[in-house]
């Protein structure tokens, strides 16, 4: 990991750095050449946010003289973080890839909360004088995934049908881009439900899906992507495929979490689709 090899020596020479660790795919042991680098810094004393971001930018300038580009604040999900992409300067940039990185930082008082919000970690370095309680926090195993919560499952069980009810006007207006986006969102809701059935919750910033699904589940979801030259028929086919998947997985979640199946909502939305979408099947079988 060239990014880490180059930046680590610069960081551990800084008097304000108390500890350094990785999160994300590198911490979980399944990173590859396309993975982003999620690097975290324990800073003591806790810095003033704006000036510390500038300080890190100067360090990155010295570490990557070929160039790097900072992503704007609107792309940063965490307030104490700096995101960017390393690259080569023109004309070399056209022939070399880059590394997407995130540098997050926290002070000692916020360390526990910071660790809890970023998942498993791999400690890279810590000061010899690091207080025992902070070292203990950095060495405490963090669950790989958070457990699925009943309220979140219930919300998504209802949300699937609420989203699907928006499909007829999009199809009848010929809003194919909006229909494709809606089906993508539906597939996302259903993915979250299946991950919950597998006993977990996807992290908020997860960029991968396959690792949360079993082989048969992944295959079923990928089949729901089928598309033909007739876009209206494609959206109908995809919606039906997702309904079949919902009917397979939702009853299992209802039983596990002692929830009520949204029978009335399902019937209402299916009646709407049957009345408003040309070519909607008279019956959807899930056998």
């Amino acid at each position: 990991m060239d990014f880490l090899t180059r930046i680590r020596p610069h960081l551990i020479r800084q008097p304000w750095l108390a500890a350094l660790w990785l999160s994300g795919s590198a911490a979980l042991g399944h990173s590859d050449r396309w993975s982003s680098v999620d690097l975290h810094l324990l800073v003591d004393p806790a810095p003033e946010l704006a000036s510390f971001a500038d300080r890190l930018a100067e360090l990155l300038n010295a570490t990557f003289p070929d160039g790097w580009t900072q992503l704007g604040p609107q792309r940063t999900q965490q307030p104490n973080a700096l995101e960017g992409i390393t690259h080569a300067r023109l004309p070399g940039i056209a022939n070399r890839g880059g590394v997407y990185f995130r540098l997050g930082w926290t002070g000692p008082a916020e360390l526990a909360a910071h660790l809890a919000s970023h998942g498993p970690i791999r400690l890279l370095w810590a000061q010899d004088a690091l207080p025992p309680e902070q070292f203990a926090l950095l060495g405490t195993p963090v669950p790989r995934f958070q457990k699925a919560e009943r309220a979140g499952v219930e919300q998504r069980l209802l949300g699937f049908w609420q989203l699907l009810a928006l499909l007829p006007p999009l199809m009848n207006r010929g809003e194919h881009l909006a229909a494709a986006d809606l089906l993508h969102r539906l597939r996302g809701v259903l993915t979250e439900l299946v991950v919950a059935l597998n006993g977990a919750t996807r992290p908020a910033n997860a960029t991968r899906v396959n690792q949360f699904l079993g082989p048969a589940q992944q295959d079923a979801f990928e089949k729901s992507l089928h598309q033909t030259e007739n876009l209206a028929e494609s959206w109908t086919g995809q919606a039906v495929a997702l309904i079949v998947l919902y009917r397979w997985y939702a009853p299992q979640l209802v039983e596990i979490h002692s929830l009520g199946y949204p029978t009335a909502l399902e019937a209402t939305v299916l009646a709407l689709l049957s009345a408003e979408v040309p070519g909607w099947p008279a019956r959807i079988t899930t056998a």
Side-chain angles (χ1 to χ4, degrees):
M1 193 180 295
D2 183 62
F3 177 88
L4 190 58
T5 301
R6 294 175 66 177
I7 198 171
R8 175 175 169 161
H10 290 267
L11 286 170
I12 63 177
R13 286 198 295 266
Q14 306 304 316
W16 39 260
L17 186 68
L20 185 66
W21 66 92
L22 287 165
S23 69
S25 59
L28 292 169
H30 55 66
S31 60
D32 54 33
R33 66 181 295 263
W34 303 283
S35 297
S36 61
V37 178
D38 298 274
L39 193 58
H40 300 262
L41 293 67
L42 176 60
V43 183
D44 195 9
E48 196 280 321
L49 300 185
S51 63
F52 189 70
D54 291 339
R55 188 182 302 180
L56 282 181
E58 292 176 4
L59 187 146
L60 286 162
N61 288 336
T63 305
F64 301 100
D66 286 342
W68 68 281
T69 296
Q70 181 176 350
L71 301 178
Q74 70 276 10
R75 294 292 307 277
T76 303
Q77 296 182 356
Q78 304 295 331
N80 297 5
L82 185 153
E83 294 188 32
I85 302 173
T86 64
H87 53 75
R89 298 192 186 280
L90 290 170
I93 188 174
N95 301 313
R96 290 179 53 189
V99 175
Y100 192 123
F101 65 87
R102 302 179 188 89
L103 296 180
W105 62 88
T106 183
E110 298 78 27
L111 177 59
H114 185 91
L115 293 172
S117 65
H118 290 89
I121 74 167
R122 178 157 68 93
L123 184 63
L124 299 175
W125 178 87
Q127 285 182 346
D128 293 336
L130 192 70
E133 62 274 13
Q134 295 176 25
F135 192 83
L137 283 173
L138 291 168
T140 301
V142 180
R144 181 173 181 178
F145 303 120
Q146 297 298 318
K147 291 184 178 180
E149 295 184 357
R150 184 177 187 272
V153 170
E154 184 175 31
Q155 180 184 18
R156 292 181 178 90
L157 287 171
L158 298 173
F160 177 87
W161 297 108
Q162 292 167 347
L163 275 176
L164 193 55
L166 302 176
L167 184 60
L170 301 182
M171 293 184 62
N172 288 314
R173 294 174 187 145
E175 289 277 1
H176 296 302
L177 294 174
D181 180 66
L182 179 66
L183 286 161
H184 172 71
R185 292 162 61 194
L186 273 168
R187 196 171 285 105
V189 170
L190 190 54
T191 300
E192 298 290 345
L193 287 172
V194 176
V195 173
L197 184 61
N198 293 344
T201 299
R202 285 182 68 200
N205 62 345
T207 57
R208 301 186 186 187
V209 177
N210 291 352
Q211 68 190 62
F212 296 95
L213 304 175
Q217 294 169 342
Q218 181 182 333
D219 181 62
F221 271 89
E222 289 176 352
K223 286 179 178 176
S224 77
L225 296 169
H226 179 70
Q227 187 168 323
T228 67
E229 292 183 359
N230 187 316
L231 293 179
E233 289 182 0
S234 296
W235 309 145
T236 298
Q238 290 189 22
V240 170
L242 293 174
I243 290 170
V244 171
L245 290 174
Y246 179 95
R247 285 178 165 178
W248 177 258
Y249 293 115
Q252 301 174 62
L253 285 161
V254 164
E255 181 177 355
I256 291 171
H257 294 278
S258 301
L259 296 167
Y261 188 91
T263 305
L265 180 58
E266 175 182 321
T268 300
V269 174
L270 288 177
L272 174 67
L273 291 163
S274 180
E276 297 291 343
V277 177
W280 188 263
R283 183 181 179 186
I284 299 175
T285 58
T286 56

